[in-house]
Amino acid sequence: MPYPMNRNILRWIIIASSFIIISLILWNTYIFFQNFKAEERIKMQNWSFAQSELLTSENENVELTLKILESNHTTPMLAINKDGSLGTFKNIDKKKVENPTSVQNLITAFESENQPIEVYYNDEIYYTIYYGNSPLINKLKYYPLALLLIIVLFAAVVYFFYRSSKIAEQNKLWTGMAKETAHQIGTPLSSLIGWTEILRSEDVNPSYLLEIEKDIARLQTITDRFSKIGSMPTLKRSDIVKETVDSYEYLKARSSKLIGFEIEAPEHPIYVDLNQQLYSWTIENLVKNAIDAMRGKGNLKITIIEGDKDVKITVTDSGKGLPKGLFQKIFEPGYTSRKRGWGLGLSLAKRIVEDYHDGKIKVLHSEINKGTTMQISLKLIP
């Protein structure tokens, strides 16, 4: 057990380290953004000082002052006179300052981004500078949001990775249990076969022995199914009609007499690539599911229809039916409408048909309180 424990510790160390690194990147981005805004404000204060110097200077040598005033090429700004009129503006489209309403909207927007700077002349406010964020700052302010989105996506990936790892571990456990179950069943099964031979020598009614042998054969089939869990099954050319009829006959003989069984199948063989044990398991799951839906009383019909490229096997019941929203959900592992049950029958059927036989299984039709039709499609072979 130490190896899985060490692996889990390493996994959590990697996850924690990743979160710490991303958090540090976010924090440093925030600090950089604030410093950049502070630099932007200093630049605008220098601009206001230069403007004030230009107003108060009696010296004609104002070349440096003019250079400072012309240095702002990115930050949008408005200079509003003390009477509320527009004095000057920079880096703003002229159409946006054509009327007082547009100017007021810009002032409101700029005030929400940065504190205005007042320019004095003769100890009075000459005008007020309202400025917004430069295009670079506007881009940078969305950068933390992008990082937060990355964190969310990263957390989602971690969650699904962890969940898939747990599911993989559970699958390994179930596979091991299934194989061990098959192994454990094998011993008493061999004993039952021996006792059957003894009963035959005792002149027991042959009809009794025939039924016992059928059940022993069924147990052997179940053992074979469990032993195949977790490994890729072998497919061979088989007559789907015969395999379906055999499964049908077995289930009919061992089901309630309140169930009206019916089968409609062609007289000629139809060949597909098939694993006989797993296919009979699928039919068994569909039939048992239909019987449960009918609460042990109703009509059940199996139909085999041969097409040009595939063969379709339908199982129709007269049960309680399904709402359309559950057509896909019923195939999910663990889903069941019964108080008792693992919710594995239809998910196993889906895996057997689609993963192992490259076929399709679906709810073909269902109507509340009238019944459901399940359909399996398998490719034909010559």
Side-chain angles (χ1 to χ4, degrees):
M1 292 302 293
Y3 173 70
M5 188 178 296
N6 292 337
R7 186 173 60 183
N8 285 332
I9 292 172
L10 178 62
R11 181 187 300 159
W12 283 112
I13 289 173
I14 293 172
I15 292 170
S17 301
S18 302
F19 272 110
I20 290 170
I21 291 170
I22 293 175
S23 300
L24 288 174
I25 292 172
L26 272 175
W27 174 251
N28 281 288
T29 302
Y30 173 77
I31 297 299
F32 174 73
F33 180 76
Q34 295 301 319
N35 289 339
F36 202 87
K37 283 201 73 169
E39 291 290 333
E40 196 92 342
R41 184 166 184 82
I42 291 171
K43 184 174 74 173
M44 292 308 301
Q45 286 173 338
N46 290 338
W47 194 94
S48 68
F49 293 152
Q51 187 69 41
S52 180
E53 180 69 21
L54 184 65
L55 291 172
T56 58
S57 178
E58 296 178 358
N59 190 348
E60 293 182 0
N61 188 13
V62 291
E63 183 178 351
L64 179 59
T65 302
L66 291 173
K67 280 188 176 180
I68 292 173
L69 291 174
E70 293 296 326
S71 64
N72 178 23
H73 300 294
T74 57
T75 306
M77 56 147 290
L78 295 167
I80 304 299
N81 297 322
K82 60 182 179 180
D83 61 0
S85 61
L86 178 63
T88 185
F89 62 92
K90 287 184 72 68
N91 305 313
I92 300 174
D93 190 354
K94 288 183 179 180
K95 293 180 180 179
K96 293 183 178 181
V97 293
E98 286 179 347
N99 57 71
T101 303
S102 299
V103 172
Q104 188 57 49
N105 290 337
L106 285 171
I107 290 173
T108 303
F110 290 165
E111 276 186 312
S112 67
E113 294 177 350
N114 299 287
Q115 185 178 350
I117 299 173
E118 296 171 338
V119 178
Y120 288 86
Y121 179 64
N122 291 334
D123 296 329
E124 292 183 357
I125 296 176
Y126 187 72
Y127 54 72
T128 304
I129 298 173
Y130 297 90
Y131 70 98
N133 293 329
S134 65
L136 183 57
I137 285 184
N138 282 330
K139 290 178 181 177
L140 280 174
K141 73 180 180 182
Y142 293 112
Y143 186 64
L145 294 176
L147 282 177
L148 283 173
L149 180 60
I150 291 172
I151 287 178
V152 171
L153 292 174
F154 176 76
V157 169
V158 169
Y159 170 75
F160 285 115
F161 170 75
Y162 180 74
R163 187 168 178 267
S164 62
S165 297
K166 293 295 290 183
I167 290 173
E169 289 176 6
Q170 290 174 353
N171 287 340
K172 287 181 181 179
L173 175 62
W174 287 115
T175 299
M177 289 179 64
K179 289 182 178 294
E180 180 62 20
T181 300
H183 177 71
Q184 294 294 334
I185 291 175
T187 302
L189 190 57
S190 299
S191 179
L192 284 173
I193 294 171
W195 281 109
T196 304
E197 293 301 322
I198 292 174
L199 290 173
R200 182 175 284 109
S201 66
E202 296 291 332
D203 294 327
V204 175
N205 190 328
S207 62
Y208 298 162
L209 289 174
L210 180 62
E211 292 303 317
I212 293 173
E213 286 173 347
K214 285 182 181 179
D215 286 329
I216 289 174
R218 190 65 177 178
L219 283 172
Q220 288 176 322
T221 299
I222 292 170
T223 304
D224 194 39
R225 290 173 183 171
F226 276 96
S227 67
K228 284 182 168 62
I229 291 177
S231 57
M232 187 60 68
T234 302
L235 306 181
K236 67 177 184 178
R237 185 174 181 269
S238 304
D239 178 11
I240 192 75
V241 176
K242 179 182 181 302
E243 299 301 329
T244 306
V245 170
D246 288 348
S247 297
Y248 165 84
E249 294 292 347
Y250 180 86
L251 293 167
K252 180 181 178 181
R254 284 156 180 78
S255 297
S256 169
K257 301 302 180 184
L258 298 175
I259 301 294
F261 278 84
E262 182 184 355
I263 188 166
E264 187 177 305
E267 297 293 333
H268 60 275
I270 301 173
Y271 292 103
V272 297
D273 280 327
L274 203 66
N275 182 281
Q276 297 170 356
Q277 290 85 2
L278 293 183
Y279 175 72
S280 66
W281 198 358
T282 301
I283 296 297
E284 181 180 322
N285 282 329
L286 293 182
V287 169
K288 287 183 176 180
N289 191 70
I291 292 172
D292 288 335
M294 296 186 292
R295 294 182 175 89
K297 182 180 180 180
N299 296 310
L300 188 145
K301 181 179 181 181
I302 298 178
T303 307
I304 301 175
I305 302 171
E306 184 179 12
D308 294 332
K309 295 182 179 180
D310 60 9
V311 58
K312 292 178 171 58
I313 304 96
T314 62
V315 178
T316 303
D317 64 63
S318 58
K320 58 186 177 180
L322 290 169
K324 196 165 186 179
L326 294 180
F327 280 17
Q328 295 296 325
K329 192 173 181 64
I330 60 171
F331 293 105
E332 295 177 5
Y335 177 82
T336 178
S337 59
R338 292 179 293 166
K339 292 181 179 180
R340 294 183 179 181
W342 293 88
L344 296 176
L346 291 179
S347 63
L348 275 171
K350 183 178 178 67
R351 184 168 185 180
I352 290 169
V353 172
E354 297 190 354
D355 293 351
Y356 294 156
H357 290 86
D358 194 25
K360 294 290 181 184
I361 184 171
K362 64 179 181 180
V363 179
L364 183 65
H365 174 75
S366 187
E367 194 171 346
I368 301 298
N369 297 324
K370 289 192 176 181
T372 301
T373 298
M374 308 289 291
Q375 178 180 276
I376 298 172
S377 300
L378 297 173
K379 295 177 183 177
L380 296 173
I381 61 171

